Amino acid sequence: MPAKIYTEKDASLAPLKGKTCAVIGFGSQGHAHALNLKESGVNVIIGLYPGSKSRKVAEEKGLKVYDTAEAVKKADVIFVAVPDTKIPDVFNKDIKPNLVKGKTLLFSHGFAIHFKTITVPADVNVIMVAPKGPGHIVRRQYTEGKGVPALIAIYQNADKQAKKIALAWAHGIGGTRGGVLETTFKEETETDLFGEQTVLCGGTSALVQAGFEVLVEAGYSPEMAYFECLHELKLIVDLMNESGIAGMRFSISETAKWGDVKVGPKIIDKSVKKRMKEALKDIQTGKFAKEWVRETKTGYKKFNKLLKDGEKHPIEKTGARLRSLMPWIKKRDIKGQQASYS
Ligand SMILES: NC(=O)C1=CN([C@@H]2O[C@H](COP(=O)(O)OP(=O)(O)OC[C@H]3O[C@@H](n4cnc5c(N)ncnc54)[C@H](OP(=O)(O)O)[C@@H]3O)[C@@H](O)[C@H]2O)C=CC1
Ligand SMILES: CC(=O)[C@](C)(O)C(=O)O
């Protein structure tokens, strides 16, 4: 049976009426949920640690910012919007001591709950509202009257209102405009990690860099290679997003279609699928999570090096030059926000 998809007609903000919603962290997801909810008419406050870089940004957006513990005390629903590996510290120090019966803890990803990096008291709701897209796009689409689809999941339903609250939150951030699907913390965590490693981020970044390198190493100009392997990828993916892979094929040439169906499966062949299955296994067994937590606890050395190497890849310099010729490509202020985690 096809999964039930909740849309605008199934949702209401009523379960959040009269409630205070605290968003802890004002990064990618935090800023998007907070601003979308505020504009939907929900009472939102922000929780941050003293000295957080995000304080000024949130205040400039007209939001009231408190120290995390204070925000948790004031709130009925608490969205933990800090990086997954920072959640245990923030949770044990500032959230858990202030969680009382009747409150709802909300996540956008199940890592901390599924891999048990934190333990939550039994008398609070634990729910998830996970948009299937980056926070900055969740915000952008909401302001354009659109909405990124979202998942909801219930891990603890202490007051029997958990699902209503999750749906109301998903509605408030614009999720029901795109469609909301109910899942479990386990399913969301495992599929989300799989997607970002193999297809969305990891697989695509490596595919683009490999294609660029092959053309440049064969003597073609980096500009040609950039247009072919990165710029046009978005245009093709936009078509897939609008009308599926078959719909994309409607718009490409007959020769491109032949190359697609004949050569594509030789590039992404059975061995790639085998390695995807290995990646999935490492996620399911907890091996990936264990290694990632270890990396964050030992100073992010490998992580920072790999990110820096990525920034130095020649495709970045070529791309920056070519994108500057296309003023309609939205310029994002990401300077100083890249790499170097601690
Ligand atoms: N990025 C995304 O689009 C997606 C993220 N998610 C999930 O959403 C959650 C948040 O991730 P994401 O939005 O990427 O996070 P970000 O890395 O963008 O969040 C950073 C924010 O957390 C703040 N922060 C860091 N440490 C603390 C702390 N000790 N106390 C309070 N605030 C702190 C930062 O403050 P400062 O400015 O001072 O550094 C900043 O405001 C995660 O569970 C993630 O898996 C789910 C779907 C997509
Ligand atoms: C944006 C998203 O859904 C990701 C890639 O899984 C994430 O940032 O965690």
Side-chain angles (χ1 to χ4, degrees):
M1 211 175 63
K4 169 145 180 67
I5 309 283
Y6 297 91
T7 60
E8 292 287 86
K9 67 175 171 29
D10 305 306
S12 145
L13 284 175
L16 295 179
K17 207 160 182 237
K19 289 194 163 65
T20 299
C21 298
V23 174
I24 312 302
F26 201 71
S28 181
Q29 287 295 322
H31 93 287
H33 290 230
L35 294 172
N36 293 4
L37 287 171
K38 178 171 172 264
E39 285 166 28
S40 292
V42 175
N43 180 25
V44 182
I45 60 171
I46 306 300
L48 286 165
Y49 62 92
S52 163
K53 292 193 293 285
S54 304
R55 271 186 180 247
K56 204 167 148 258
V57 188
E59 281 165 357
E60 278 169 5
K61 298 282 180 195
L63 288 154
K64 194 110 186 76
V65 181
Y66 298 91
D67 288 348
T68 302
E70 202 50 36
V72 175
K73 277 186 209 155
K74 287 185 183 300
D76 303 290
V77 185
I78 300 119
F79 171 28
V80 189
V82 301
D84 294 304
T85 53
K86 300 255 161 55
I87 288 179
D89 281 353
V90 179
F91 182 78
N92 291 326
K93 181 170 162 280
D94 290 323
I95 300 179
K96 197 171 183 179
N98 300 299
L99 272 185
V100 293
K101 189 174 172 187
K103 297 204 185 221
T104 296
L105 204 54
L106 186 148
F107 296 87
S108 263
H109 177 48
F111 193 99
I113 294 290
H114 179 62
F115 292 117
K116 299 192 172 15
T117 64
I118 59 171
T119 50
V120 178
D123 56 359
V124 298
N125 294 329
V126 180
I127 63 176
M128 182 195 302
V129 179
K132 284 287 90 189
H136 296 96
I137 308 298
V138 173
R139 177 62 187 149
R140 187 189 297 171
Q141 290 211 346
Y142 178 89
T143 62
E144 294 168 347
K146 307 173 195 162
V148 170
L151 307 176
I152 57 165
I154 313 301
Y155 185 75
Q156 281 182 191
N157 189 8
D159 68 0
K160 307 283 174 269
Q161 301 299 309
K163 186 164 170 183
K164 284 192 184 138
I165 296 171
L167 256 183
W169 188 286
H171 182 49
I173 63 169
T176 42
R177 294 177 183 170
V180 170
L181 187 69
E182 185 168 1
T183 180
T184 60
F185 271 64
K186 177 182 190 306
E187 186 179 57
E188 184 279 338
T189 306
E190 292 177 355
T191 53
D192 187 75
L193 294 175
F194 176 77
E196 67 200 16
Q197 291 173 23
T198 60
V199 180
L200 303 177
C201 311
T204 299
S205 305
L207 185 72
V208 168
Q209 287 177 343
F212 179 89
E213 286 165 17
V214 167
L215 286 181
V216 172
E217 283 162 20
Y220 300 98
S221 79
E223 290 76 13
M224 288 290 298
Y226 177 85
F227 281 146
E228 206 49 54
C229 299
L230 192 153
H231 179 83
E232 197 172 340
L233 177 65
K234 179 203 167 4
L235 311 182
I236 295 292
V237 171
D238 277 350
L239 292 176
M240 287 190 194
N241 184 268
E242 284 162 23
S243 52
I245 294 172
M248 175 276 287
R249 286 177 180 157
F250 172 76
S251 295
I252 63 175
S253 66
E254 193 185 67
T255 308
K257 278 198 258 286
W258 172 239
D260 174 346
V261 294
K262 180 73 173 46
V263 184
K266 282 200 263 184
I267 305 298
I268 305 299
D269 63 3
K270 283 203 181 83
S271 68
V272 173
K273 217 165 139 186
K274 185 170 163 272
R275 288 193 295 279
M276 282 185 174
K277 285 182 180 170
E278 286 163 9
L280 181 60
K281 192 147 203 136
D282 287 350
I283 292 165
Q284 291 168 328
T285 58
K287 184 168 178 246
F288 169 80
K290 208 166 144 196
E291 283 175 7
W292 171 221
V293 169
R294 191 189 313 130
E295 174 67 15
T296 68
K297 289 198 168 145
T298 51
Y300 290 87
K301 284 188 217 71
K302 199 182 234 171
F303 179 60
N304 282 330
K305 178 178 181 320
L306 292 172
L307 286 180
K308 275 265 171 274
D309 288 350
E311 285 176 24
K312 283 190 230 138
H313 191 284
I315 198 169
E316 299 304 334
K317 208 168 160 196
T318 305
R321 178 170 155 246
L322 294 175
R323 287 192 296 274
S324 74
L325 303 174
M326 292 178 266
W328 55 86
I329 293 185
K330 213 171 159 65
K331 301 280 175 289
R332 301 204 303 141
D333 182 18
I334 55 171
K335 215 163 158 249
Q337 293 176 30
Q338 296 292 287
S340 243
Y341 289 74
S342 57

